[in-house]
């Protein structure tokens, strides 16, 4: 609600706008006769000083003559020197008396003007300490009860001008303290963190063998063909044992050059058989020489153009696959683009077309899918996994891989805060279907649990937890031929028919089960789950087991919130549950702490008596302090949390602590009006509780020891400026009327307890004028008109019926 410019003090306001002055200047104006006569209401002021009339004007009036400025000038008398002489004597005497007066001690700084001199005397009298008025206990509370604050139905504006619910005592019962977290509201578990892709380690490529062009190349195909084969046979005789020898490398380069010459000449002839033969030879030699992409291209061409019944054609396709796979491992191109894998997919599709019964086709597609996934491309990985036959021995590996790929896609897309919920649920459903199919296929056939089976079950539990399906979480972790919780161990030695897993894997499984059991109200079973995990982890247990008590605490709060009434025994039980939570548990996030604080606030509204409500509000304030103290607490939430903390402290009857919190906030952001409103409400509450006249003065003018808190007077002035600015909103108008009412009521209460007649009369007139001005700010024809009119009328009627005595 800090749309206004940085507020100045009351004196500055009075200087800039003569129609608006501070309470210290007895600020009110006499209202204009009719509402329609002005464009906008003004905050009333009491400055009614006018320039004093000159003596000549008064004498003229007494003689029924026009004043000097209206009378015609008379001709001067010729014999006026006696008058001048007498006037001179009088002037000398007057100057002498003034000089003697100024010479006296203490009068050297007095102003020369009588009007200014009277102001100094008034200021000196005002600054003189006045004896504090002793108010009979219960008086102010009785007065406040007599004229209660109207109930507010509209929100007030926050610091940025956005509409927020009023946090004052009048609307504390309407606060939404038990707001669920994002993960609880979202059908897919809320926003995720995108996975970080870690590329496979790069394999150093083999050195490319240079191609040696024949010194004397033939122009005739048959001759070039024979020379190529002679060179090939010579190279082959060296054998693989001589791979690293210089002779081997040289002969390989010569052979590759001779074959390229022969193949080039074959393109001009119609001998398709020899052409394909040379193309296969070129594919093979290119792979041997480390020319990987040349081998891939030549091999694909040979497989595409050759006779499928010829073994060389099939071999060329597999050589091409090997070359592309090696190039991918070498990160030959851009690893983020994976062009080699797309070429590998093209060759795999070619093999499917020409050799549909190829025994290795499923392994080709599985390898391609796994390579896609390892390079962070889950969508083409899903498509590749789908090519594996359902009846293949590799089918379950493909199902689990496909499930992981769908899960990766979900994590990536759900990291966008604007992700489509239906699309996210669709991805989770597809992942769950793949994992479930793998479990259904594997589990009956296994004689002992396997890691793929346990991984699939764990992922099914994770997905079920994200979709808030507690029953499925319990089913996937505790049922089946090999229940997940009974089939794993962390220690190397353990029960037979169990698989050694990491402590992280075990904690994830048991935490999911524990939270599901807790949410379902199966608290005893949840406690047994914790004990099992503690035994399973052994020395690695640490404080993680205690951290899981958070789920129990959440459940306990939800059950308490569901009740119609909250008793002290409920509060005690909740405190015992919270005591089991370690203070710095990583599981209990700052948002979790805030949820607990808001839950305490919700329970306070259902308390059976004031003592229980006070306890709940006190716990809410303390819990919010714990949340703020956490290192991971978001800095952008500190101010808003402090505001709620101050309100809870006030409702816990810790008004001084509430004011300290608000005072610290207002030191840096003094023009946040809803905070100023809370602060001055606390001041007013203190004054009423203590029957304190100084506290009542502080509520009106602001406490001297905390200048960042304005008080009702300055707050009304600032709200008036904002209300009638270009940024003014209906919420600002409502807040202005609220400030006017509390200012008038505080003045009325002060008037009631004052004993000095002149002071009472001045305050009475000031308050009546302020009320008259406040009425002009009430919107005509609105629902609020009757509410505010009745409230101001009560104060006005009481003041009008009294006199200064």
């Amino acid at each position: 609600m800090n749309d206004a410019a940085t507020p100045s003090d009351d004196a500055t306001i009075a200087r800039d706008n003569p129609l608006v002055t501070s309470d210290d200047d007895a600020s009110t104006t006499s209202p204009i006769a009719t509402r329609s006569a002005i464009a906008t209401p003004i905050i009333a002021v009491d400055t009614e000083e006018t320039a004093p009339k000159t003596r000549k004007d008064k004498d003229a009036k007494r003689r029924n003559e026009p004043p000097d400025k209206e009378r015609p000038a008379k001709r001067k008398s010729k014999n006026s020197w006696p008058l001048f002489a007498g006037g001179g004597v009088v002037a000398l005497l007057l100057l002498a008396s003034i000089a003697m007066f100024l010479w006296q001690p203490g009068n050297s700084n007095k102003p020369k003007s009588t009007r200014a001199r009277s102001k100094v005397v008034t200021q000196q009298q005002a600054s003189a300490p006045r004896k504090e008025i002793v108010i009979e206990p219960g008086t102010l509370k009785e007065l406040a009860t007599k004229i209660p604050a109207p109930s507010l139905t509209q929100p007030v504006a926050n610091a940025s001008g956005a509409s927020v619910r009023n946090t004052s005592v009048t609307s504390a019962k309407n606060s939404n303290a038990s707001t669920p977290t994002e993960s609880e509201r979202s059908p897919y578990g809320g926003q995720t963190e995108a996975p970080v892709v870690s590329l496979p380690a790069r394999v150093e490529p083999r050195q490319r063998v240079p191609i040696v062009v024949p010194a004397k190349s033939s122009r005739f195909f048959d001759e070039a063909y024979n020379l190529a084969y002679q060179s090939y046979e010579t190279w082959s005789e060296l054998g693989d044992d001589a791979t690293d020898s210089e002779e081997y490398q040289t002969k390989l380069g010569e052979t590759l050059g001779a074959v390229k010459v022969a193949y080039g000449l074959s393109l001009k002839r119609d001998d398709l058989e020899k052409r394909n033969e040379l193309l296969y030879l070129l594919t093979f030699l290119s792979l041997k020489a480390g020319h990987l992409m040349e081998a891939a291209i030549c091999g694909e061409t040979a497989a595409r153009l050759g006779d499928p019944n010829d073994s060389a054609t099939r071999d060329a396709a597999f050589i091409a696959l090997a070359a592309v796979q090696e190039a991918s491992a070498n990160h030959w191109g851009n690893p983020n683009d994976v062009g080699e894998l797309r070429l590998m997919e093209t060759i795999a599709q070619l093999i499917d077309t020409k050799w549909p019964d190829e025994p290795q086709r499923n392994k080709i597609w599985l390898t391609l899918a796994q390579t896609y996934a390892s390079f962070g491309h889950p969508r083409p990985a899903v498509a590749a996994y789908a090519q594996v036959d359902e009846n293949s021995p590799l089918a379950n590996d493909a199902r689990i891989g496909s499930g992981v790929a769908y899960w990766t896609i979900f994590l990536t897309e759900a990291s966008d805060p604007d992700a489509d919920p239906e699309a996210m649920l669709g991805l989770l459903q597809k992942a769950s279907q793949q994992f479930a199919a793998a479990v259904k296929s594997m589990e009956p056939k296994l004689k002992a649990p396997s890691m793929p089976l346990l991984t699939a079950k764990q992922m099914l539990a994770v997905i079920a937890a994200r979709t808030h399906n507690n029953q499925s979480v319990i089913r996937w972790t505790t049922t089946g031929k090999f229940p997940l919780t009974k089939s794993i161990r962390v220690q190397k030695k353990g029960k037979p028919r169990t698989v050694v897993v990491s402590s992280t894997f075990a904690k994830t499984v048991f935490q999911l089960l524990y939270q599901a059991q807790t949410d379902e109200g199966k608290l005893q079973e949840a406690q047994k789950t914790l004990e099992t995990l503690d035994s399973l982890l052994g020395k690695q247990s640490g404080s993680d087991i205690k951290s899981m008590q958070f789920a129990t605490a959440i459940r306990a709060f939800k059950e308490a919130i569901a009740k119609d009434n909250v008793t002290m025994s409920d509060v005690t039980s909740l405190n015992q549950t919270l005591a089991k939570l370690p203070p710095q548990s990583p599981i209990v996030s700052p948002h979790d702490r805030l949820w607990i604080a808001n839950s305490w606030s919700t329970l306070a509204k259902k308390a059976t008596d004031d003592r229980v409500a006070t306890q709940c509000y006190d716990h809410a304030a303390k819990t919010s302090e714990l949340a703020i103290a956490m290192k991971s607490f978001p800095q952008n939430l500190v101010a808003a949390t402090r505001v709620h903390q101050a309100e809870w402290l006030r409702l816990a009857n810790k008004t001084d602590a509430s004011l300290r919190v608000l005072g610290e906030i207002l030191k840096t952001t003094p023009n946040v009006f809803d905070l100023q409103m809370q602060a001055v409400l606390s001041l007013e509450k203190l004054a009423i509780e203590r029957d304190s006249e100084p506290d009542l003065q502080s509520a009106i003018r602001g406490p001297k020891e905390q200048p960042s808190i304005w008080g009702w007077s300055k707050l009304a002035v600032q709200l008036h400026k904002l209300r009638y600015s270009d940024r003014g909103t209906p919420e600002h108008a409502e807040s202005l009327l609220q400030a006017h009412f509390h200012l008038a009521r505080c003045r009325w209460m002060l008037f009631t307890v004052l004993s000095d007649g002149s002071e009472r009369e001045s305050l009475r007139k000031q308050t009546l004028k302020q009320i008259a001005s406040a009425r002009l700010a009430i919107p005509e024809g609105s629902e609020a008109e009757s509410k505010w009119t009745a409230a101001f009328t009560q104060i006005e009627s009481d003041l009008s019926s009294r006199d200064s005595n």
Side-chain angles (χ1 to χ4, degrees), residues 269-384:
R269 298 189 53 156
D270 295 332
D271 194 340
L272 185 60
E273 182 179 353
K274 288 186 177 180
R275 182 192 304 170
N276 289 339
E277 186 179 328
L278 288 169
L279 185 58
Y280 167 77
L281 197 58
L282 188 60
T283 301
F284 173 72
L285 292 172
S286 295
L287 178 63
K288 284 290 187 179
H291 297 208
L292 301 178
M293 296 312 296
E294 292 88 336
I297 294 171
C298 291
E300 180 198 357
T301 306
R304 195 176 295 279
L305 300 178
D307 183 0
N309 296 320
D310 188 351
S311 61
T313 305
R314 174 185 172 279
D315 291 345
F318 278 87
I319 291 174
L321 277 177
V324 173
Q325 193 169 1
E326 184 178 348
S328 175
N330 296 339
H331 296 191
W332 179 84
N334 181 359
N336 295 319
D337 189 22
V338 294
E340 309 92 282
L341 297 185
R342 287 197 295 272
L343 179 56
M344 185 177 176
E345 184 174 356
T346 301
I347 298 171
Q349 291 170 347
L350 179 62
I351 292 173
D352 269 359
T353 302
K354 303 199 80 168
W355 301 281
D357 298 327
E358 169 57 44
Q360 297 191 58
R361 69 167 301 278
N362 290 316
K363 185 168 183 59
I364 292 172
W365 283 109
L366 182 66
T367 302
L368 175 62
Q370 291 171 339
T371 310
Y372 265 131
S374 66
F375 276 89
H377 293 267
R379 285 195 178 277
V382 167

Side-chain angles (χ1 to χ4, degrees), residues 77-123:
S77 174
K78 292 182 179 180
N79 300 322
S80 56
W81 67 266
L83 293 175
F84 284 115
V89 173
V90 171
L92 288 172
L93 292 174
L94 180 59
L95 288 172
S97 62
I98 292 174
M100 291 295 292
F101 176 77
L102 293 175
W103 177 80
Q104 293 177 5
N107 292 333
S108 59
N109 296 327
K110 287 189 176 182
K112 297 178 181 180
S113 168
T114 304
R115 175 185 172 191
R117 186 164 58 248
S118 64
K119 284 187 175 181
V120 172
V121 173
T122 303
Q123 291 173 2

Side-chain angles (χ1 to χ4, degrees), residues 16 28 99 101 147 167 196 234 249 264 291 331 376 398 415 435 450 496 553 575 704 728 755 796:
D16 296 340
T28 41
F101 176 77
I147 304 181
T167 54
V196 178
T234 303
Q249 300 289 328
H291 297 208
H331 296 191
S415 64
F435 289 125
S450 65
N575 281 329
K704 294 179 180 179
S755 57
E796 191 177 43

Side-chain angles (χ1 to χ4, degrees), residues 1-7 156-162 666 668-676 710 718-719 722 727 732:
M1 197 168 113
N2 59 344
D3 301 66
T6 304
V156 296
N158 67 4
S160 61
L666 292 172
T668 55
T669 54
N671 54 337
V672 181
F673 290 142
D674 55 345
L675 300 190
Q676 291 286 0
W710 294 344
Q718 298 298 336
L719 281 169
L722 177 59
R727 298 182 298 274
H732 297 144

Side-chain angles (χ1 to χ4, degrees), residues 723-755:
R723 167 64 181 90
Y724 296 107
S725 70
D726 294 338
R727 298 182 298 274
T729 65
E731 288 78 16
H732 297 144
E734 182 83 0
S735 297
L736 174 60
L737 288 171
Q738 185 184 6
H740 263 306
F741 169 80
H742 283 279
L743 176 59
R745 189 174 71 166
C746 286
R747 286 172 167 171
W748 167 71
M749 289 191 289
L750 183 59
F751 164 84
T752 304
V753 299
L754 286 175
S755 57

Side-chain angles (χ1 to χ4, degrees), residues 4 12 48 52 91 104 131 153 157 216 218 248 292 324 352 404 426-427 457 480 493 499 535 539 721 732:
T12 304
E48 298 177 351
Q104 293 177 5
K131 186 178 180 181
T153 56
K216 186 183 290 186
S218 174
Y248 181 94
L292 301 178
V324 173
D352 269 359
V404 172
L427 289 171
K457 284 194 169 186
K493 295 182 179 180
V499 178
S535 173
K539 295 180 180 180
K721 293 177 66 177
H732 297 144

Side-chain angles (χ1 to χ4, degrees), residues 611-743:
R611 188 169 65 96
V612 176
T614 300
Q615 283 268 338
C616 291
Y617 282 125
D618 187 42
H619 288 316
K622 290 178 179 178
T623 306
S624 64
E625 182 63 36
L626 288 175
I628 294 173
M630 297 176 72
K631 293 181 180 180
S632 58
F633 191 84
Q635 290 302 307
N636 62 326
L637 296 180
V638 172
T641 305
R642 287 293 188 195
V643 172
H644 286 292
Q645 183 187 28
E647 181 70 357
W648 292 330
L649 285 169
R650 183 166 66 87
L651 294 172
N653 296 324
K654 294 185 176 181
T655 312
D656 286 330
S658 174
L659 279 172
R660 284 195 296 272
V661 173
L662 289 174
E664 287 300 315
I665 302 175
L666 292 172
K667 281 182 181 179
T668 55
T669 54
N671 54 337
V672 181
F673 290 142
D674 55 345
L675 300 190
Q676 291 286 0
M677 187 81 74
Q678 282 198 50
V680 73
L681 280 170
S682 296
L683 286 170
E684 185 178 339
K685 182 181 178 183
L686 268 183
I688 294 172
E689 289 175 349
R690 297 174 177 175
D691 285 296
S692 168
E693 183 250 343
D695 288 342
L696 195 57
Q697 296 278 11
S698 294
I700 295 173
R701 296 179 174 86
K704 294 179 180 179
E705 64 277 7
Q706 288 182 292
S708 58
I709 300 177
W710 294 344
W712 288 121
S713 175
K714 186 171 181 177
L715 181 58
V717 171
Q718 298 298 336
L719 281 169
H720 172 85
K721 293 177 66 177
L722 177 59
R723 167 64 181 90
Y724 296 107
S725 70
D726 294 338
R727 298 182 298 274
T729 65
E731 288 78 16
H732 297 144
E734 182 83 0
S735 297
L736 174 60
L737 288 171
Q738 185 184 6
H740 263 306
F741 169 80
H742 283 279
L743 176 59

